[in-house]
Amino acid sequence: STKKKFQDSICKLLAMYDLCDAIGVEMMPAEVMKNVYVVPMLAWWSCTFCRGDPRPDDCVYDSFCKWPMGEEGAHKYFLQWNDVFIRKIEQQQKQRGTNGEVISFSHFLPTDDLPCGGAPVKASGCLELEPQIRRIAGQLHIFGHTHLNMVYNNGIRYQQHSLMGPEYGHGHQAKFLKCFDGRLLAEPRSHTVY
């Protein structure tokens, strides 16, 4: 078999970063043009996302993932990872006297104001993501996990634009979401030019 085995999911993630680096794919938060930041945020769910019952339970939500720090420690690891980049962006924003335009994104939900759809609440989000987004004055945060196309605004525009297929109630040929066209768009829209 050509399938590569990894000691754990962190080793697999780091190998993916190495591969992307080798082929010239950008994966880290970056200023993509002057005062325009694209900020992928690593995340993992935390049972504390369920404010009504913020304790771990006996469910196994992601059996294919193997975290050396345990499932309930994974989100803390990723928050620390994000913090390194957030501090750099904050410093640059402060030096320039402007926040610029910030588009961030994560797989997991950053606030419990967003619906989980049919996904288990305890395995849907990480409440500590939203303060990180606010620290860099994020205006648009694109999230995933629940496959619900929606928009929610609480000072940050949260948007999900699922590219999944008909099994999730979406078209067989989903369109990309255009959110920047020389400036951050107030109303990101579907885009059909590839």
Side-chain angles (χ1 to χ4, degrees):
S1 169
T2 58
K3 189 174 182 181
K4 189 169 183 175
K5 301 290 182 192
F6 296 94
Q7 179 180 339
D8 58 48
S9 296
I10 296 295
C11 291
K12 188 174 185 177
L13 175 67
L14 295 175
M16 184 180 72
Y17 275 116
D18 286 345
L19 175 64
C20 288
D21 191 47
I23 62 175
V25 174
E26 295 286 334
M27 295 283 292
M28 300 296 182
E31 182 181 32
V32 295
M33 63 179 67
K34 187 164 178 135
N35 296 324
V36 178
Y37 301 91
V38 174
V39 187
M41 301 181 86
L42 295 181
W44 195 248
W45 57 264
S46 170
C47 67
T48 59
F49 191 73
C50 180
R51 292 184 198 247
D53 181 18
R55 299 175 309 256
D57 58 25
D58 294 332
C59 294
V60 176
Y61 295 110
D62 295 286
S63 62
F64 292 108
C65 296
K66 182 179 171 187
W67 302 113
M69 69 291 292
E71 282 195 330
E72 278 300 317
H75 78 284
K76 294 173 187 172
Y77 175 89
F78 290 130
L79 290 167
Q80 289 176 345
W81 178 296
N82 294 342
D83 203 53
V84 171
F85 296 99
I86 287 169
R87 284 195 309 267
K88 289 178 183 180
I89 292 169
E90 284 177 314
Q91 183 179 32
Q92 198 168 44
Q93 290 170 326
K94 185 176 180 182
Q95 287 172 347
R96 292 185 180 166
T98 181
N99 293 327
E101 297 180 291
V102 180
I103 303 166
S104 59
F105 53 95
S106 63
H107 174 78
F108 288 101
L109 283 64
T111 172
D112 60 358
D113 294 334
L114 300 169
C116 295
V121 175
K122 287 190 181 200
S124 289
C126 177
L127 294 174
E128 292 90 341
L129 277 175
E130 187 173 52
Q132 289 188 325
I133 297 164
R134 290 194 183 281
R135 281 177 52 199
I136 55 175
Q139 295 105 345
L140 172 64
H141 184 85
I142 300 168
F143 66 96
H145 190 65
T146 58
H147 309 285
L148 302 171
N149 288 339
M150 60 155 305
V151 173
Y152 170 76
N153 197 323
N154 68 357
I156 300 168
R157 180 186 177 97
Y158 290 105
Q159 184 149 2
Q160 185 166 171
H161 186 80
S162 180
L163 297 176
M164 298 302 289
E167 69 275 21
Y168 290 99
H170 304 295
H172 68 280
Q173 198 167 23
K175 298 176 175 103
F176 287 114
L177 182 68
K178 185 175 188 177
C179 56
F180 192 89
D181 193 3
R183 62 179 172 73
L184 189 62
L185 299 175
E187 299 273 335
R189 60 189 180 275
S190 292
H191 185 60
T192 57
V193 179
Y194 300 107

